[in-house]
Amino acid sequence: MQTPVNPFKKALADKRTQYGLWSSMLGPIPTEICAAAGFDWLLLDGEHSPNSPYNLLQQAQLLAGYPGTHAIARIPMGHGWVGQALIKQVLDVGIQTVLVPMVDTAEQARELVRCMRYPPQGIRGMAGVRASAWGRNPNYAREANREVCLLVQAETRAAIDNLDAIAAVDGVDGVFIGPADLSAAFDHVGDPWHPEMLQIHEDAFRRIQAAGKAVGILTLEEERARRHVEMGATFIAVGTDTNLLVKGSNALAKAFKGTAAAAKGNY
């Protein structure tokens, strides 16, 4: 039995753009519907959705039936003992790629790298779990460090100030620009595409790319998403499951009733 190659990590290394969708509706049915659409990756959100490690396990099992769609789990926090425990649980259920929000310093990024890896490179605990086929893969602990993928979010003033150092950390595979939180940090709440923010995004893209790391971002607008790809985004979320449901249900209600509740996204 072999440790699965992480296709998402390989695609980032090959600089092949990976198109994804934010999945916040916990699953299993919405997750499977989105996986069957053919996205390269689904972000299973545990920061702003009540996804637990158990929910993530169920969705990982479901996504195994769609090998062309890679599961990425976002944990609610990555710092301290809580972050260490959450990363351990996510990796143990067999999810190879983790997105960590609010990473502000290189020191935090280095600690996250340690949490992702088995000794001697890190502090991940050993166990016979789903990731190792419950111990049936005797080589897993020797091979897993090679296949795990760490993505960190830059979404504060401190993160932008420290971006070069964060992106330079060995073991950080990609940096994701969080447009909504970042705009709030720069006093543009609800306006992530303010002209000042666009300049900050472009500068951040250049700095991350200069460090040789992958750049990610989320937008709900097709034209803007294509612009980000032109700028060099190699993993980009082009929508969210909740927004798709909002737009579809609004359009249907309007078609029959003439009105629909307004909904303004943050992206």
Side-chain angles (χ1 to χ4, degrees):
M1 186 170 291
Q2 295 181 333
T3 302
V5 171
N6 186 329
F8 179 82
K9 184 173 183 175
K10 187 176 188 308
L12 296 190
D14 294 341
K15 301 188 185 309
R16 288 185 280 115
T17 303
Q18 300 291 285
Y19 296 95
L21 185 80
W22 230 247
S23 181
S24 302
M25 295 171 64
L26 307 186
I29 292 174
T31 302
E32 184 163 18
I33 289 172
C34 293
F39 291 101
D40 297 311
W41 54 278
L42 289 187
L43 188 286
L44 308 176
D45 189 19
E47 183 186 15
H48 295 299
S49 296
N51 264 316
S52 66
Y54 182 64
N55 287 38
L56 294 174
L57 165 64
Q58 291 179 313
Q59 292 174 87
Q61 291 172 321
L62 184 154
L63 285 170
Y66 298 85
T69 301
H70 185 70
I72 302 175
R74 178 164 72 167
I75 61 175
M77 65 177 295
H79 312 309
W81 297 111
V82 173
Q84 181 179 327
L86 290 169
I87 290 172
K88 181 190 306 183
Q89 289 182 307
V90 166
L91 295 177
D92 282 355
V93 302
I95 294 174
Q96 295 177 302
T97 303
V98 179
L99 177 63
V100 181
M102 298 291 180
V103 178
D104 292 339
T105 68
E107 289 76 17
Q108 290 174 344
R110 280 191 286 270
E111 184 60 24
L112 293 171
V113 172
R114 293 181 68 233
C115 292
M116 294 281 292
R117 283 163 167 70
Y118 286 118
Q121 292 86 5
I123 57 174
R124 182 181 173 189
M126 309 280 285
V129 291
R130 181 175 183 270
S132 66
W134 292 275
R136 292 189 177 98
N137 178 2
N139 294 319
Y140 177 76
R142 288 186 287 270
E143 299 171 342
N145 290 359
R146 181 189 67 218
E147 301 301 337
V148 294
C149 180
L150 173 62
L151 310 173
V152 299
Q153 289 189 228
E155 46 192 344
T156 66
R157 285 179 177 266
I160 295 302
D161 289 342
N162 297 316
L163 190 56
D164 300 304
I166 292 170
V169 171
D170 187 28
V172 169
D173 297 287
V175 180
F176 182 90
I177 302 300
D181 284 294
L182 196 58
S183 65
F186 282 85
D187 200 24
H188 299 297
V189 175
D191 189 7
W193 313 119
H194 185 278
E196 180 186 7
M197 299 314 304
L198 296 180
Q199 292 180 357
I200 291 171
H201 296 167
E202 290 180 5
D203 179 64
F205 270 50
R206 286 192 293 267
R207 293 162 67 187
I208 297 164
Q209 291 163 340
K213 302 299 174 67
V215 185
I217 199 165
L218 161 66
T219 177
L220 305 181
E221 303 172 19
E222 180 179 346
E223 184 177 345
R224 196 176 300 280
R226 296 190 185 281
R227 169 59 182 149
H228 285 138
V229 173
E230 292 172 358
M231 288 166 56
T234 41
F235 63 106
I236 181 166
V238 295
T240 70
D241 57 357
T242 53
N243 184 258
L244 291 173
L245 183 58
V246 166
K247 290 195 297 186
S249 58
N250 276 359
L252 190 60
K254 185 176 181 180
F256 286 92
K257 299 185 67 176
T259 61
K264 184 178 180 181
N266 288 326
Y267 305 99

mmCIF file with all atom_site columns, all heavy atoms in Angstrom, residues 54 112-113 222 256:
data_model
loop_
_atom_site.group_PDB
_atom_site.id
_atom_site.type_symbol
_atom_site.label_atom_id
_atom_site.label_alt_id
_atom_site.label_comp_id
_atom_site.label_asym_id
_atom_site.label_entity_id
_atom_site.label_seq_id
_atom_site.pdbx_PDB_ins_code
_atom_site.Cartn_x
_atom_site.Cartn_y
_atom_site.Cartn_z
_atom_site.occupancy
_atom_site.B_iso_or_equiv
_atom_site.pdbx_formal_charge
_atom_site.auth_seq_id
_atom_site.auth_comp_id
_atom_site.auth_asym_id
_atom_site.auth_atom_id
_atom_site.pdbx_PDB_model_num
ATOM 1  N N   . TYR A 1 54  ? -15.269 15.360 12.564  1.00 0.00 ? 54  TYR A N   1
ATOM 2  C CA  . TYR A 1 54  ? -16.128 14.260 12.118  1.00 0.00 ? 54  TYR A CA  1
ATOM 3  C C   . TYR A 1 54  ? -16.777 14.592 10.772  1.00 0.00 ? 54  TYR A C   1
ATOM 4  O O   . TYR A 1 54  ? -16.835 13.752 9.875   1.00 0.00 ? 54  TYR A O   1
ATOM 5  C CB  . TYR A 1 54  ? -17.186 13.967 13.171  1.00 0.00 ? 54  TYR A CB  1
ATOM 6  C CG  . TYR A 1 54  ? -18.088 12.808 12.801  1.00 0.00 ? 54  TYR A CG  1
ATOM 7  C CD1 . TYR A 1 54  ? -17.569 11.522 12.678  1.00 0.00 ? 54  TYR A CD1 1
ATOM 8  C CD2 . TYR A 1 54  ? -19.446 12.997 12.549  1.00 0.00 ? 54  TYR A CD2 1
ATOM 9  C CE1 . TYR A 1 54  ? -18.387 10.458 12.334  1.00 0.00 ? 54  TYR A CE1 1
ATOM 10 C CE2 . TYR A 1 54  ? -20.263 11.949 12.206  1.00 0.00 ? 54  TYR A CE2 1
ATOM 11 C CZ  . TYR A 1 54  ? -19.733 10.669 12.090  1.00 0.00 ? 54  TYR A CZ  1
ATOM 12 O OH  . TYR A 1 54  ? -20.532 9.615  11.733  1.00 0.00 ? 54  TYR A OH  1
ATOM 13 N N   . LEU A 1 112 ? 3.410   26.142 12.253  1.00 0.00 ? 112 LEU A N   1
ATOM 14 C CA  . LEU A 1 112 ? 2.417   25.388 11.499  1.00 0.00 ? 112 LEU A CA  1
ATOM 15 C C   . LEU A 1 112 ? 3.075   24.276 10.690  1.00 0.00 ? 112 LEU A C   1
ATOM 16 O O   . LEU A 1 112 ? 2.545   23.168 10.586  1.00 0.00 ? 112 LEU A O   1
ATOM 17 C CB  . LEU A 1 112 ? 1.634   26.323 10.576  1.00 0.00 ? 112 LEU A CB  1
ATOM 18 C CG  . LEU A 1 112 ? 0.738   27.351 11.271  1.00 0.00 ? 112 LEU A CG  1
ATOM 19 C CD1 . LEU A 1 112 ? 0.200   28.350 10.259  1.00 0.00 ? 112 LEU A CD1 1
ATOM 20 C CD2 . LEU A 1 112 ? -0.401  26.670 12.022  1.00 0.00 ? 112 LEU A CD2 1
ATOM 21 N N   . VAL A 1 113 ? 4.225   24.569 10.103  1.00 0.00 ? 113 VAL A N   1
ATOM 22 C CA  . VAL A 1 113 ? 4.964   23.549 9.354   1.00 0.00 ? 113 VAL A CA  1
ATOM 23 C C   . VAL A 1 113 ? 5.311   22.383 10.275  1.00 0.00 ? 113 VAL A C   1
ATOM 24 O O   . VAL A 1 113 ? 5.168   21.208 9.892   1.00 0.00 ? 113 VAL A O   1
ATOM 25 C CB  . VAL A 1 113 ? 6.237   24.152 8.734   1.00 0.00 ? 113 VAL A CB  1
ATOM 26 C CG1 . VAL A 1 113 ? 7.109   23.047 8.116   1.00 0.00 ? 113 VAL A CG1 1
ATOM 27 C CG2 . VAL A 1 113 ? 5.880   25.191 7.670   1.00 0.00 ? 113 VAL A CG2 1
ATOM 28 N N   . GLU A 1 222 ? -16.496 36.408 -12.258 1.00 0.00 ? 222 GLU A N   1
ATOM 29 C CA  . GLU A 1 222 ? -15.733 35.688 -13.275 1.00 0.00 ? 222 GLU A CA  1
ATOM 30 C C   . GLU A 1 222 ? -14.627 36.555 -13.882 1.00 0.00 ? 222 GLU A C   1
ATOM 31 O O   . GLU A 1 222 ? -13.478 36.099 -14.027 1.00 0.00 ? 222 GLU A O   1
ATOM 32 C CB  . GLU A 1 222 ? -16.660 35.191 -14.385 1.00 0.00 ? 222 GLU A CB  1
ATOM 33 C CG  . GLU A 1 222 ? -15.917 34.432 -15.472 1.00 0.00 ? 222 GLU A CG  1
ATOM 34 C CD  . GLU A 1 222 ? -16.841 33.907 -16.561 1.00 0.00 ? 222 GLU A CD  1
ATOM 35 O OE1 . GLU A 1 222 ? -18.072 33.893 -16.354 1.00 0.00 ? 222 GLU A OE1 1
ATOM 36 O OE2 . GLU A 1 222 ? -16.313 33.513 -17.627 1.00 0.00 ? 222 GLU A OE2 1
ATOM 37 N N   . PHE A 1 256 ? -41.003 34.231 -10.284 1.00 0.00 ? 256 PHE A N   1
ATOM 38 C CA  . PHE A 1 256 ? -42.402 33.942 -10.006 1.00 0.00 ? 256 PHE A CA  1
ATOM 39 C C   . PHE A 1 256 ? -43.093 34.999 -9.154  1.00 0.00 ? 256 PHE A C   1
ATOM 40 O O   . PHE A 1 256 ? -44.297 35.192 -9.240  1.00 0.00 ? 256 PHE A O   1
ATOM 41 C CB  . PHE A 1 256 ? -42.529 32.571 -9.333  1.00 0.00 ? 256 PHE A CB  1
ATOM 42 C CG  . PHE A 1 256 ? -42.309 31.431 -10.289 1.00 0.00 ? 256 PHE A CG  1
ATOM 43 C CD1 . PHE A 1 256 ? -41.046 30.895 -10.444 1.00 0.00 ? 256 PHE A CD1 1
ATOM 44 C CD2 . PHE A 1 256 ? -43.337 30.929 -11.063 1.00 0.00 ? 256 PHE A CD2 1
ATOM 45 C CE1 . PHE A 1 256 ? -40.822 29.848 -11.336 1.00 0.00 ? 256 PHE A CE1 1
ATOM 46 C CE2 . PHE A 1 256 ? -43.129 29.901 -11.953 1.00 0.00 ? 256 PHE A CE2 1
ATOM 47 C CZ  . PHE A 1 256 ? -41.868 29.357 -12.100 1.00 0.00 ? 256 PHE A CZ  1
#
